[in-house]
Amino acid sequence: MSAASTTVSTTVLKSVPMFGTFPEDQLRALATMVTRRSAPRGSAIMRAGDPTDSLFIVISGRLKVMMGEADGKEVILSILGPGEFFGEMGLIDDNPRSASVIAIEPCELLSVTKRAFKKCLVENLDVATAVMRVLVRRLREADRKIGSLAMLDVYGRVARLLLDMSENVKGEKVVTKRLPKQDIAKMIGASREMVSLVMKDLQMSGYIEVRGSTIVLRDTIPQSR
Ligand code: CMP
């Protein structure tokens, strides 16, 4: 990550969902405890096992949360984007980092020290609630993923991932932020070759349509074969 870090304006802090309800004086106090950093594509913000010292908030760019780099069997647990945060687990339970977080695009991040984060949690119920809601959402997503691994074949897992990644654009389900097939494979526990085959089959059968850099999904996309 870039060593160059800069201070943060209260306007930037106000745009972060977690701090959206802070009054101006609290934002000003927080701004003195937060730094802004740039992370180039491919850089590691943290590695699994590192000691914990801060929480990060994504201002722009995307990152992957992953495990297993050391033994060559990488698993991608999640893709994070603007407005999301990471590094809270180690701050809450004082354990080392549970996963590695790597920038897959150039990123702008805010970093909050452990002391400042804990102070925010204690003093502001909105922050504590926002953190709990995100933890619950991540647990739901993890449950869903365990369910897919146990109950769906690769065809179903690709279809479900595309559906989960899609957003509604003018009444159509569209994946606007595409991922390399290698990364899709690492998210659903399959090989890159198998993901390529399934995507080709979904396209040939008319369930997905590739339009430039986006993928449009048909409502009938099946989640099993
Ligand atoms: P921490 O354990 O401190 O460092 C790694 C971070 O990755 C972790 O905090 C979370 O913020 C994030 N993380 C771990 N597992 C997941 C997951 N399943 N989904 C999203 N983020 C995660």
Side-chain angles (χ1 to χ4, degrees), residues 46 65 77-78 86-90 97-99 101 138:
M46 58 183 64
V65 181
L77 301 170
S78 186
F86 58 92
E88 77 294 343
M89 288 168 59
R97 297 300 189 194
S98 59
V101 182
R138 288 181 184 163

Side-chain angles (χ1 to χ4, degrees), residues 199-219:
M199 298 273 285
K200 212 170 275 172
D201 192 66
L202 285 169
Q203 204 175 342
M204 301 270 284
S205 312
Y207 293 123
I208 63 174
E209 185 193 330
V210 177
R211 275 190 213 153
S213 62
T214 64
I215 302 177
V216 181
L217 314 183
R218 298 283 161 248
D219 284 336

Side-chain angles (χ1 to χ4, degrees), residues 16-206:
V16 174
M18 199 197 299
F19 306 129
T21 59
F22 271 34
E24 197 60 30
D25 58 331
Q26 270 191 37
L27 284 176
R28 273 198 299 273
L30 186 64
T32 63
M33 297 182 272
V34 173
T35 47
R36 185 173 179 139
R37 289 154 185 259
S38 303
R41 183 168 182 261
S43 58
I45 319 305
M46 58 183 64
R47 299 249 182 225
D50 283 352
T52 52
D53 48 9
S54 30
L55 169 95
F56 293 87
I57 299 162
V58 187
I59 297 295
S60 65
R62 286 192 302 163
L63 306 102
K64 59 183 173 184
V65 181
M66 58 189 299
M67 293 177 108
E69 291 161 284
D71 56 18
K73 287 190 196 142
E74 293 175 1
V75 177
I76 298 181
L77 301 170
S78 186
I79 303 286
L80 304 176
E84 296 189 275
F85 59 82
F86 58 92
E88 77 294 343
M89 288 168 59
L91 296 194
I92 291 169
D93 70 3
D94 291 319
N95 276 320
R97 297 300 189 194
S98 59
S100 302
V101 182
I102 317 281
I104 55 174
E105 293 172 1
C107 290
E108 285 294 314
L109 305 170
L110 299 183
S111 93
V112 186
T113 62
K114 187 176 196 161
R115 218 180 106 245
F117 175 64
K118 289 205 161 170
K119 192 166 181 288
C120 272
L121 275 187
V122 170
E123 291 177 359
N124 203 301
L125 185 61
D126 284 343
V127 172
T129 310
V131 171
M132 278 191 286
R133 289 185 75 88
V134 170
L135 291 176
V136 169
R137 174 167 57 78
R138 288 181 184 163
L139 182 58
R140 283 183 191 279
E141 285 167 4
D143 287 352
R144 206 166 132 79
K145 191 173 268 180
I146 294 166
S148 326
L149 286 171
M151 291 179 289
L152 297 178
D153 57 13
V154 176
Y155 201 94
R157 284 184 238 157
V158 171
R160 182 177 277 187
L161 182 69
L162 290 175
L163 279 169
D164 288 347
M165 284 170 59
S166 69
E167 47 197 289
N168 199 310
V169 180
K170 294 182 188 151
E172 287 187 310
K173 289 195 181 74
V174 184
V175 179
T176 51
K177 297 269 185 193
R178 284 177 70 176
L179 287 173
K181 293 195 181 75
Q182 184 70 60
D183 282 355
I184 293 182
K186 287 177 189 169
M187 290 181 85
I188 60 165
S191 67
R192 196 194 64 78
E193 292 73 18
M194 193 63 197
V195 170
S196 276
L197 273 179
V198 169
M199 298 273 285
K200 212 170 275 172
D201 192 66
L202 285 169
Q203 204 175 342
M204 301 270 284
S205 312

